[in-house]
Amino acid sequence: MAEPIIELKGVSFSAQNVEVVRDISMQVEEGKSLALVGPSGGGKSTVLKLAAGLLVPTAGEVLFRGKNIAAMTRGQNLAFRREGAVVFQDSALWSNQDLYQCLELPLKIHFPKMSREDRNGRITETLKDVGYTKNIHIRPAMLSAGEQKLIAFARSMILKPGLLFLDEWTESLDDDAADRLIGLVKKQQAEKRTIIFVSHDFRIIKNFADKITMIMGGKLYRTITRDEIAEDENLSRMIKKGIAL
């Protein structure tokens, strides 16, 4: 069996003396898609952020290609950040920069020798992919929540990552914009990118996830495959009920 690209080993996380997730162990195979599902407030977004190295566990380890993220050297961590991109539920765009700067900064950090002309080309190409056609020299506050999500997705794709962490990535989008991003993620799947995502949309969960991990009350409740959902109506009903809570 191939080494997982991401592995959580006995991971717990507490904030302000409150345990948010406890003793989570799971693996994500390279080139596969994993959905984290469960009731609101159950800990799934925290698990996603732990897997992405955005939170440091209070117990256990998070491994990227067998290396503990918390113990990486600066160079190893930079390589991990270049390969793994995050789309946050609230978009998390930098409010003191315009949209162009938000997209340019990752290129400056990870490809410091890239020319301005090449950066412009990469930004133009990525914005075309996500379907954003308006002014890019404005601040994020001037955009709707849906438009901010498009820019956040563009920022995640700007480095052409091999690993995507998506937190409620179609939320706040109209149907056309959501369908465009769904199409982009399908393309990433076809190109064997690894995708870990949180969603309350059962259609997305059923169609995208190779495996579904249910997080309830901060604990890993169960991991199932897409085929098991298709074959077992009781599982489908359980997941639908869980994500609606």
Side-chain angles (χ1 to χ4, degrees), residues 87-108:
V87 176
F88 297 94
Q89 186 172 358
D90 62 356
S91 297
L93 299 173
W94 297 297
S95 60
N96 63 341
Q97 295 183 321
D98 66 25
L99 306 184
Y100 181 90
Q101 291 169 321
C102 287
L103 297 174
E104 184 185 38
L105 184 58
L107 294 173
K108 284 185 169 181

Side-chain angles (χ1 to χ4, degrees), residues 2 10 21 28 37 50-51 79 101 112 114 136-137 163 181 191 213 217 245:
V21 298
V28 184
V37 308
L50 286 161
Q101 291 169 321
M114 180 181 280
I136 61 171
H137 297 290
L163 175 59
L181 292 193
E191 295 174 355
T213 291
L245 294 175

